[in-house]
Amino acid sequence: MKLLVVEDDGLLNNTLCYNLSAAGYTVDAAMTKAAAVSFCEAQNYDLIVLDINLPDGNGFDLCEKIKERRPDTAVIFLTANDMEGDMLKGFELGADDYVTKPFPISVFRKKVSALLTRIQKQTGGDCYTDSTLSINFSEMTATLAGEPIIFTPMEYRLLKVLVRNPQVVLTRQVLLEKLWDADENFVDEHALTVAISRIRRKIEIDGLQYIKTVYGMGYMWIGGLKK
């Protein structure tokens, strides 16, 4: 999933981006309202981590613009203020959570993970979407950068197993067993290798990597990280 961190404190911005990237998310960083607006005009984000006090404006105004353009974008406010009025204003604008500085990074990561998991469940467990790739497993349709993309039935089943287990190393044996159960037909090692290769050729464009090979173990879905 794609995240944008908008925070004018360089150290905190770098720390948040590093930890969120390590958790498997694709993360962009902005230190001003103007930079954040440029990012949001160029692409969509699943979650924006937004500081209220920015050098060229405030996060409340930015949140309002973001929600007007894409209401389903999640927002977590960061602020040094813990006043009830500020919190209420943030929630009225559609914020999903509110974190007062300073805060433990481990707790913040848990908040982000819980929020994004809830969003995925609300948007339907049979779909996958990020800023580039969208897959509807029920309808067996998919788009990449807005253009239709064709997967075989086996490729859809393999993708479904992978995206339902993000950041988890799935051994070849586990994948073979799951594909066999789903299709009620035997899937051999060669067919799995070919399917992984074909999926990569179809979706890993512009330096994005979705499937990571963990040598000696198996494969892991990492959700469109830059190579």
Side-chain angles (χ1 to χ4, degrees), residues 9-68:
D9 182 314
L11 179 59
L12 179 56
N13 194 314
N14 289 338
T15 300
L16 292 173
C17 289
Y18 174 80
N19 280 273
L20 292 171
S21 296
Y25 304 113
T26 302
V27 186
D28 287 327
M31 297 184 68
T32 64
K33 178 182 174 182
V37 169
S38 296
F39 272 117
C40 291
E41 287 176 347
Q43 57 200 306
N44 294 326
Y45 291 93
D46 300 291
L47 169 66
I48 297 179
V49 179
L50 179 56
D51 187 18
I52 288 180
N53 299 308
L54 297 168
D56 57 344
N58 69 73
F60 290 136
D61 292 339
L62 181 54
C63 179
E64 193 169 13
K65 290 181 181 296
I66 290 166
K67 289 293 185 178
E68 286 175 359

Side-chain angles (χ1 to χ4, degrees), residues 155-196:
E155 289 167 356
Y156 272 114
R157 291 194 298 274
L158 177 53
L159 280 164
K160 193 169 186 178
V161 174
L162 290 167
V163 303
R164 284 187 169 180
N165 298 276
Q167 304 301 315
V168 176
V169 178
L170 298 173
T171 66
R172 294 178 65 85
Q173 185 59 39
V174 165
L175 288 172
L176 289 170
E177 289 173 357
K178 288 183 178 293
L179 291 173
W180 190 0
D181 290 342
D183 197 31
E184 297 182 356
N185 289 311
F186 178 71
V187 179
D188 62 21
E189 291 262 354
H190 177 69
L192 175 60
T193 300
V194 170
I196 290 285

Side-chain angles (χ1 to χ4, degrees), residues 24-217:
Y25 304 113
T26 302
V27 186
D28 287 327
M31 297 184 68
T32 64
K33 178 182 174 182
V37 169
S38 296
F39 272 117
C40 291
E41 287 176 347
Q43 57 200 306
N44 294 326
Y45 291 93
D46 300 291
L47 169 66
I48 297 179
V49 179
L50 179 56
D51 187 18
I52 288 180
N53 299 308
L54 297 168
D56 57 344
N58 69 73
F60 290 136
D61 292 339
L62 181 54
C63 179
E64 193 169 13
K65 290 181 181 296
I66 290 166
K67 289 293 185 178
E68 286 175 359
R69 180 177 178 272
R70 191 171 180 236
D72 58 338
T73 300
V75 174
I76 294 179
F77 273 122
L78 300 180
T79 181
N81 303 322
D82 59 357
M83 295 177 63
E84 183 179 351
D86 285 339
M87 292 184 181
L88 291 175
K89 184 175 182 179
F91 288 127
E92 286 169 1
L93 290 171
D96 297 88
D97 209 340
Y98 201 105
V99 181
T100 303
K101 305 174 190 174
F103 51 84
I105 292 296
S106 59
V107 173
F108 179 77
R109 281 178 56 169
K110 287 290 185 183
K111 280 180 173 285
V112 169
S113 176
L115 176 57
L116 292 176
T117 298
R118 186 169 76 244
I119 291 170
Q120 286 183 314
K121 288 180 179 178
Q122 289 172 346
T123 55
D126 224 29
C127 296
Y128 170 85
T129 184
D130 60 34
S131 59
T132 305
L133 176 65
S134 180
I135 307 171
N136 186 314
F137 293 104
S138 296
E139 299 178 2
M140 295 184 73
T141 57
T143 59
L144 184 71
E147 296 296 323
I149 183 171
I150 305 300
F151 294 115
T152 67
M154 179 183 170
E155 289 167 356
Y156 272 114
R157 291 194 298 274
L158 177 53
L159 280 164
K160 193 169 186 178
V161 174
L162 290 167
V163 303
R164 284 187 169 180
N165 298 276
Q167 304 301 315
V168 176
V169 178
L170 298 173
T171 66
R172 294 178 65 85
Q173 185 59 39
V174 165
L175 288 172
L176 289 170
E177 289 173 357
K178 288 183 178 293
L179 291 173
W180 190 0
D181 290 342
D183 197 31
E184 297 182 356
N185 289 311
F186 178 71
V187 179
D188 62 21
E189 291 262 354
H190 177 69
L192 175 60
T193 300
V194 170
I196 290 285
S197 179
R198 285 179 176 171
I199 289 171
R200 281 175 163 156
R201 286 201 300 270
K202 292 176 182 179
I203 67 176
E204 295 190 341
I205 63 169
D206 298 329
L208 295 179
Q209 183 179 14
Y210 280 92
I211 302 172
K212 178 180 179 180
T213 299
V214 183
Y215 292 99
M217 297 180 68

